[in-house]
Amino acid sequence: RLLLVMPAVLLVIFLLLYLVYRSVSEAAHVILAVPFALTGGVFLQYALGYHFSAAVAVGYIALFGTAIQTGVVMVVYLEETVKARMAEKGAAFSSADLMQAVKDGARLRLRPKVMTVATIVCSLLPIMWSNRQGAEVMKPLATPVIGGMISSLIHILIVTPVIFLWLREREIKAGSALPSPVAS
């Protein structure tokens, strides 16, 4: 069943992102958080010696949702900053202004993202240290979330702004209106 559920979850997430952004490239950009989060989860799962199980799969599903959510929030911050800079500069808006707006938006998101990851990791660490009844089920569930949130932090703070900047520069060169439509 998990072989059907996990791809279905990713497909539903992609469709919801497409409905929000009305753009396949934007939806793909945000869903890129999943492979980055997956790498951290897989690495920690391997390091701790847990085999893939139903509990681990549930942990990955929770991780996917959290990684997508933080990606969406980062893109929203970046969009708002770009819109504000465009309104400020008007017709004089340039690629340098776009880059500065993306840097400013990413900087605004730094503390909330680090706090989100720290809260999730700190809340799951007691589960990882526990030896009480039920720990054998909860540890494998918490493992991909902890590992994935750490790698997701790197992706959201570094990779997402770079891809966002690249997509917006392509739009400027193509002459399309900036920024792309996003639900605010």
Side-chain angles (χ1 to χ4, degrees), residues 14-180:
F14 184 81
L15 290 174
L16 291 172
L17 289 171
Y18 177 77
L19 291 173
V20 168
Y21 293 111
R22 303 267 186 234
S23 167
V24 172
S25 63
E26 279 296 329
H29 168 219
V30 174
I31 209 162
L32 268 176
V34 170
F36 277 88
L38 183 66
T39 58
V42 167
F43 179 74
L44 189 58
Q45 178 187 345
Y46 175 77
L48 295 178
Y50 292 120
H51 298 289
F52 193 82
S53 64
V56 171
V58 170
Y60 280 114
I61 291 171
L63 172 63
F64 295 166
T66 307
I68 293 296
Q69 176 204 18
T70 57
V72 167
V73 172
M74 175 60 98
V75 170
V76 167
Y77 269 73
L78 296 175
E79 288 285 355
E80 288 176 358
T81 309
V82 168
K83 284 180 185 178
R85 181 65 56 102
M86 285 179 68
E88 177 186 312
K89 293 286 184 170
F93 187 78
S94 67
S95 290
D97 294 320
L98 175 64
M99 183 176 290
Q100 189 58 48
V102 169
K103 286 179 184 178
D104 293 344
R107 209 171 299 126
L108 282 173
R109 184 66 185 129
L110 176 65
R111 188 177 351 168
K113 176 59 180 165
V114 171
M115 288 173 58
T116 300
V117 169
T119 301
I120 291 170
V121 170
C122 288
S123 68
L124 293 175
L125 282 178
I127 292 171
M128 296 301 291
W129 290 325
S130 176
N131 290 321
R132 293 186 173 198
Q133 184 177 11
E136 66 278 354
V137 173
M138 295 306 292
K139 284 182 180 184
L141 190 145
T143 298
V145 178
I146 291 172
M149 288 310 299
I150 293 168
S151 63
S152 171
L153 175 67
I154 296 165
H155 174 266
I156 295 300
L157 295 178
I158 298 171
V159 178
T160 297
V162 169
I163 294 173
F164 180 88
L165 177 65
W166 178 69
L167 287 172
R168 292 307 172 270
E169 284 178 337
R170 281 185 46 196
E171 289 178 6
I172 288 174
K173 288 177 184 171
S176 65
L178 258 176
S180 67

